[in-house]
Amino acid sequence: MNQTGTSIVRFGEIQDMVKAYYPDADLDLIRAAYVYSAQVHIGQTRRSGEPYLVHPVAVAMILAQMRLDEASVATGLLHDTVEDTLATPEELERFFGKEIATLVDGVTKISKIEFESKEERQAENFRKMILAMSRDIRVLLVKLADRLHNMRTLGPMPPEAQTRIARETMEIYSPLAARLGIYWIRTELEDLAFRYLNPDRFNYIKTRLQETLKQREEYVNNVIRVVREKLEQYNIKAVIKGRNKEIYSIHQKMFAQHLDFDQIHDITAFRIILNNVSECYAVLGLIHSLWRPVPGRFKDYVAMPKSNRYQSLHTTVIGPDGLRIEIQIRTNEMDLIAEEGIAAHWSYKEGKIVEAEDAKVVNWLRQMMEWQQDLEDPREFFENVRVDLYPDEVYVFTPKGEVKEFPKGATPLDFAYSIHTEVGHRCVGARVNGKMVSLKYQLRTGDSVEIITSVHQKPSKDWLKFVKTGRARTKIRHYVLTEERERAIQMGMDSTDRELRKWRLELGRAEKEGEMLKIAHEYSFKSEADLYAAIGYGRISPKAIITRLVPPSEREKAKAALAEEKHVKKERTTTKSGVKVHGLTDVMVNFAKCCNPLPGDPIRGFITRGRGVTVHKQDCINLQTSDFKRIIDVTWDEDQPIRRTVKLGLQVENKMGMLATISGVIASADSDIVQANIKTVSDHYAEGTFMISVRNLDHLNSVMNALKSIKGVRKVDRLGVI
């Protein structure tokens, strides 16, 4: 009875609180939700032994503290009814309407998500949560209230459950609260989670804070007194607060800067709350006249608000006793938004709730869902969202003066993709503050950015190495994968067609008769294109297609003739190129101009669209950054040696007979001069290029050594292979 009385009292507090900020609220709806929740949860208890009703009532209280509408508060009272009782969604809709039933359903779906699982499942579950949130942001607000109360009452849970829930809170829910700008929930969740994840560190910092409490209180009162006296001189009225930083925040600073507790001198932060923006900037000047500001520690979030609508002036100064103090200066409205975040978007006018539909944070959730449609792998979606959940922001301007927010390290490409996908795809550079910069330039706060595009530009896989935003990464990866797939399909069709022709078959006819689609289905592919892509990527051999198209009896008859034909084609191919392509015959071979391989150099092959196999030196940087799936083994054909033309650069003394001497040495080294060009640079020396034919790397080295031994030859360089 006593517990029931306590619940009724707390429920009365909820009604009073809602009525205070929303006089026209439908309190009967909230009361009905309370009665219904009490009925369906009757007999249920929490692990602590309390009646279960304590939890939904506490969640509703938190939502009322966030000043949310009556539908949200009612959802807080009902959020566990479908999951933990015999209540059904249909019953909720019948009693409370579709809006509340939908909200409860969204919260229920989030509650069922397991984040402590395999990476693929964790990522997919995270995608489901973002989907539920994007439909109605109140779903997440109710879930945050639910998680906050669960964290406050986590003590009775087993240690392994405490750790799991705390880690999930720190990695998922606290960053989401930050993204929504609900500062007080974010910080409380962080401290509660830190308490269970690192209890020794938590208790150490907590104890040290208690030990130094009196000293810090005296210091805070002194700073507030000095600031108030200064403001009174200028007839400025303000609310001045001093508060301790949160335990987890102190831990982060100690960890990041490798400091002990006694070395942290800015444990206390100050806040000055004023009536208007002009007073904010005036007070900033007064603070800087009192104490010397720390260079690089001023941030103007008033002129350039964060994406969650946070606004404030931040400055760090050297205060009394030479200690650093952090000061935030803001208006009353800014302070409300700073504490409540998106929850402050609800306003109550003429009996109606007006929600800021155009709030950037709501748009962020919707953008998340748009981007995920381009991703087949949920792990990529998870990665991209995490990037956006942990931003260290920079603020830059468009040519029209609009402000855009990006994570630290973002580039002009991130800016371009934020405008439009096609602008990103065609971006070739940017002008930042009127000067040309590369695509890798890291944007800085205050930069004015203008994107330069070209119709000939296409996204490159290398772009993924330096873009920072989830949107840019998603769009680039989608384009690259699409392009690679198209190339793989074409390669697969070409290699399949060549293999079929050996057996007097035609790919077109096989497609027309449905044979290729049948084979695709046998491999569990949906289409012929999927089959060709697998062949192009090297996952399926074209020969495997023959085994399904050509009857065994026919294969036996043609086996001998086919073997002979393969032998002839192999001889012809290797004789022409001097390179053996492992696993393939009758293939075009080219040599890469970027590294100019020569017989004797370690080599690898790269399957190139429409050009067969391109041979690179094994250590070629272009090969190392290429798609590894298209790299194949190749070797020099020692049985069919070929000569390759090498370009040498020489620097020699300018004297009569030098050209004849060089020509004679090259001939004596069993090499031919294909072309020679020599010009006088000064009276003392000349420079020349010689194209010579060599058998291999050893032969080239012997020719170069012979040339270096000529008196008057200063330098011999290998310029390339032709």
Side-chain angles (χ1 to χ4, degrees):
M1 183 67 182
N2 184 44
Q3 183 62 52
T4 303
T6 301
S7 297
I8 292 174
V9 170
R10 291 192 62 187
F11 174 69
E13 293 175 3
I14 294 172
Q15 291 187 106
D16 293 342
M17 190 174 295
V18 173
K19 189 173 182 178
Y21 65 77
Y22 184 23
D24 296 324
D26 184 356
L27 298 182
D28 289 339
L29 176 68
I30 298 175
R31 193 176 299 108
Y34 169 74
V35 172
Y36 182 87
S37 182
Q39 290 175 344
V40 296
H41 284 299
I42 193 167
Q44 294 181 343
T45 59
R46 306 192 80 208
R47 187 175 287 269
S48 63
E50 297 175 305
Y52 195 86
L53 186 62
V54 170
H55 172 63
V57 169
V59 170
M61 174 68 80
I62 294 171
L63 294 168
Q65 291 171 347
M66 294 165 67
R67 297 170 56 86
L68 297 188
D69 62 309
E70 66 261 57
S72 301
V73 177
T75 300
L77 290 163
L78 300 167
H79 75 277
D80 278 336
T81 55
V82 173
E83 184 176 8
D84 294 337
T85 75
L86 297 177
T88 64
E90 294 76 18
E91 190 173 75
L92 287 182
E93 183 172 349
R94 188 167 67 252
F95 289 156
F96 302 102
K98 187 172 183 179
E99 180 185 18
I100 290 178
T102 301
L103 290 173
V104 172
D105 181 61
V107 178
T108 302
K109 287 177 178 176
I110 294 180
S111 300
K112 291 180 179 179
I113 293 175
E114 297 178 9
F115 291 100
E116 195 76 13
S117 59
K118 290 184 178 180
E119 184 181 8
E120 296 87 347
R121 186 176 175 189
Q122 180 189 42
E124 179 58 32
N125 286 338
F126 194 81
R127 191 199 310 234
K128 291 177 181 177
M129 184 177 76
I130 295 291
L131 176 62
M133 289 160 22
S134 66
R135 289 172 178 161
D136 194 321
I137 194 65
R138 292 175 294 179
V139 170
L140 178 56
L141 297 177
V142 175
K143 186 58 189 176
L144 285 174
D146 173 49
R147 177 52 58 107
L148 179 58
H149 185 251
N150 281 333
M151 288 300 298
R152 288 174 176 174
T153 56
L154 196 59
M157 298 293 287
E160 62 274 11
Q162 291 176 345
T163 301
R164 174 180 58 80
I165 296 171
R167 182 177 295 110
E168 183 179 283
T169 299
M170 188 71 82
E171 293 181 355
I172 304 296
Y173 291 102
S174 174
L176 281 171
R179 197 69 165 98
L180 300 183
I182 311 176
Y183 178 81
W184 68 276
I185 288 185
R186 167 201 169 185
T187 53
E188 187 173 351
L189 286 177
E190 285 177 343
D191 274 7
L192 289 169
F194 184 54
R195 174 184 176 184
Y196 292 99
L197 294 174
N198 196 336
D200 292 339
R201 190 74 162 174
F202 177 89
N203 290 325
Y204 167 74
I205 297 175
K206 182 179 180 181
T207 301
R208 295 306 310 275
L209 285 173
Q210 292 172 342
E211 292 172 349
T212 59
L213 178 61
K214 185 176 180 180
Q215 177 184 350
R216 282 183 288 105
E217 285 180 344
E218 293 176 355
Y219 188 83
V220 167
N221 292 333
N222 180 44
V223 170
I224 291 177
R225 178 183 56 79
V226 172
V227 172
R228 180 171 288 112
E229 289 176 355
K230 187 70 173 179
L231 298 188
E232 287 175 351
Q233 293 177 18
Y234 293 86
N235 296 318
I236 297 176
K237 295 182 179 181
V239 175
I240 307 171
K241 301 177 181 179
R243 61 171 182 82
N244 291 326
K245 290 186 175 180
E246 292 72 22
I247 292 177
Y248 180 66
S249 175
I250 296 171
H251 159 74
Q252 282 185 305
K253 189 160 190 175
M254 293 171 63
F255 180 80
Q257 300 182 19
H258 307 287
L259 299 175
D260 293 329
F261 182 87
D262 294 332
Q263 296 174 292
I264 303 291
H265 299 304
D266 54 353
I267 289 175
T268 303
F270 294 87
R271 185 176 301 163
I272 303 174
I273 303 172
L274 301 152
N275 293 319
N276 54 62
V277 173
S278 60
E279 286 184 344
C280 291
Y281 286 101
V283 169
L284 175 68
L286 294 177
I287 294 297
H288 286 176
S289 70
L290 274 175
W291 299 298
R292 180 167 57 88
V294 177
R297 295 299 302 272
F298 168 68
K299 294 182 179 179
D300 187 346
Y301 294 119
V302 174
M304 292 183 288
K306 293 187 177 183
S307 61
N308 56 22
R309 288 188 66 203
Y310 176 89
Q311 288 184 287
S312 186
L313 298 176
H314 290 196
T315 187
T316 301
V317 298
I318 306 299
D321 303 329
L323 300 180
R324 289 189 176 195
I325 55 176
E326 295 181 6
I327 300 177
Q328 300 170 351
I329 305 171
R330 59 179 66 147
T331 66
N332 287 292
E333 182 182 359
M334 293 175 190
D335 190 57
L336 174 63
I337 294 174
E339 290 299 313
E340 302 293 340
I342 196 171
H345 292 188
W346 272 264
S347 61
Y348 304 90
K349 299 177 182 178
E350 300 177 1
K352 296 181 180 180
I353 302 171
V354 181
E355 181 187 350
E357 288 291 345
D358 59 344
K360 291 182 180 179
V361 67
V362 177
N363 290 336
W364 171 76
L365 289 168
R366 291 172 182 149
Q367 286 175 351
M368 287 293 102
M369 296 317 302
E370 291 175 9
W371 301 344
Q372 66 93 16
Q373 292 174 4
D374 291 335
L375 297 175
E376 295 182 2
D377 188 347
R379 289 172 293 184
E380 295 179 20
F381 176 67
F382 191 33
E383 172 192 344
N384 293 341
V385 175
R386 287 175 67 93
V387 168
D388 283 346
L389 280 180
Y390 297 91
D392 187 1
E393 301 96 340
V394 295
Y395 299 87
V396 300
F397 295 95
T398 69
K400 294 182 179 180
E402 298 174 0
V403 178
K404 283 186 171 287
E405 174 193 357
F406 296 96
K408 186 176 181 180
T411 66
L413 271 177
D414 294 292
F415 184 97
Y417 277 105
S418 75
I419 298 171
H420 193 276
T421 299
E422 282 304 310
V423 176
H425 285 350
R426 306 304 174 194
C427 178
V428 293
R431 289 189 185 90
V432 174
N433 305 323
K435 297 181 180 179
M436 288 293 299
V437 298
S438 73
L439 296 181
K440 294 183 180 180
Y441 171 84
Q442 293 191 358
L443 300 175
R444 301 172 184 173
T445 293
D447 281 347
S448 180
V449 185
E450 178 185 357
I451 296 300
I452 300 170
T453 61
S454 168
V455 295
H456 304 294
Q457 177 69 299
K458 293 182 179 180
S460 164
K461 184 185 290 186
D462 291 338
W463 289 4
L464 294 170
K465 298 176 183 177
F466 54 84
V467 294
K468 292 295 181 182
T469 59
R471 177 180 176 85
R473 293 181 63 83
T474 298
K475 298 301 183 183
I476 294 167
R477 185 177 282 116
H478 179 67
Y479 183 92
V480 170
L481 291 177
T482 301
E483 284 284 294
E484 287 184 351
R485 174 178 166 80
E486 290 177 358
R487 287 196 294 269
I489 290 172
Q490 188 59 52
M491 291 173 61
M493 291 179 67
D494 292 344
S495 59
T496 303
D497 185 48
R498 284 196 300 270
E499 193 69 28
L500 288 175
R501 288 182 183 279
K502 297 173 185 177
W503 295 86
R504 311 298 188 268
L505 297 173
E506 295 181 5
L507 180 60
R509 175 170 292 184
E511 288 180 340
K512 188 175 181 180
E513 294 176 354
E515 293 294 334
M516 297 308 297
L517 183 59
K518 180 181 177 182
I519 294 173
H521 290 164
E522 290 175 0
Y523 279 104
S524 299
F525 294 125
K526 294 181 180 179
S527 66
E528 296 158 331
D530 293 338
L531 174 63
Y532 296 140
I535 296 171
Y537 285 129
R539 297 168 187 160
I540 298 176
S541 169
K543 295 179 181 178
I545 306 301
I546 298 300
T547 63
R548 299 178 186 277
L549 279 177
V550 183
S553 58
E554 293 294 326
R555 291 202 301 270
E556 287 298 326
K557 292 178 182 178
K559 189 174 182 181
L562 194 57
E564 178 63 25
E565 186 178 345
K566 286 182 180 179
H567 176 71
V568 171
K569 288 187 176 181
K570 183 177 179 182
E571 289 297 318
R572 184 166 65 247
T573 301
T574 55
T575 299
K576 182 178 179 181
S577 66
V579 170
K580 293 180 178 179
V581 181
H582 293 202
L584 293 175
T585 61
D586 191 21
V587 64
M588 187 189 310
V589 174
N590 299 282
F591 294 95
K593 290 182 172 58
C594 53
C595 56
N596 298 307
L598 187 68
D601 289 325
I603 55 175
R604 299 293 299 278
F606 183 79
I607 300 176
T608 308
R609 183 183 182 185
R611 295 182 55 205
V613 174
T614 301
V615 178
H616 292 257
K617 290 172 67 173
Q618 189 166 295
D619 59 355
C620 175
I621 186 63
N622 287 334
L623 182 69
Q624 293 175 358
T625 57
S626 298
D627 183 359
F628 72 91
K629 297 175 183 176
R630 294 162 61 188
I631 297 175
I632 61 175
D633 292 329
V634 296
T635 56
W636 296 107
D637 187 358
E638 297 178 358
D639 297 330
Q640 299 291 340
I642 62 167
R643 282 180 173 260
R644 297 208 65 207
T645 301
V646 181
K647 187 176 183 180
L648 298 179
L650 278 71
Q651 190 181 97
V652 301
E653 291 182 6
N654 187 9
K655 61 182 181 180
M656 188 175 297
M658 180 57 75
L659 180 58
T661 303
I662 292 173
S663 300
V665 168
I666 292 174
S668 298
D670 192 25
S671 180
D672 296 324
I673 297 177
V674 178
Q675 183 180 335
N677 182 24
I678 192 164
K679 63 180 180 179
T680 300
V681 178
S682 70
D683 293 339
H684 301 291
Y685 76 95
E687 291 180 346
T689 57
F690 290 80
M691 295 185 183
I692 64 173
S693 65
V694 296
R695 294 186 300 274
N696 51 41
L697 186 60
D698 290 338
H699 187 198
L700 172 63
N701 289 333
S702 68
V703 175
M704 292 178 66
N705 290 333
L707 291 172
K708 291 175 182 177
S709 67
I710 299 174
K711 186 176 181 180
V713 174
R714 296 180 178 181
K715 192 176 182 182
V716 180
D717 291 320
R718 172 183 172 182
L719 301 182
V721 181
I722 307 302

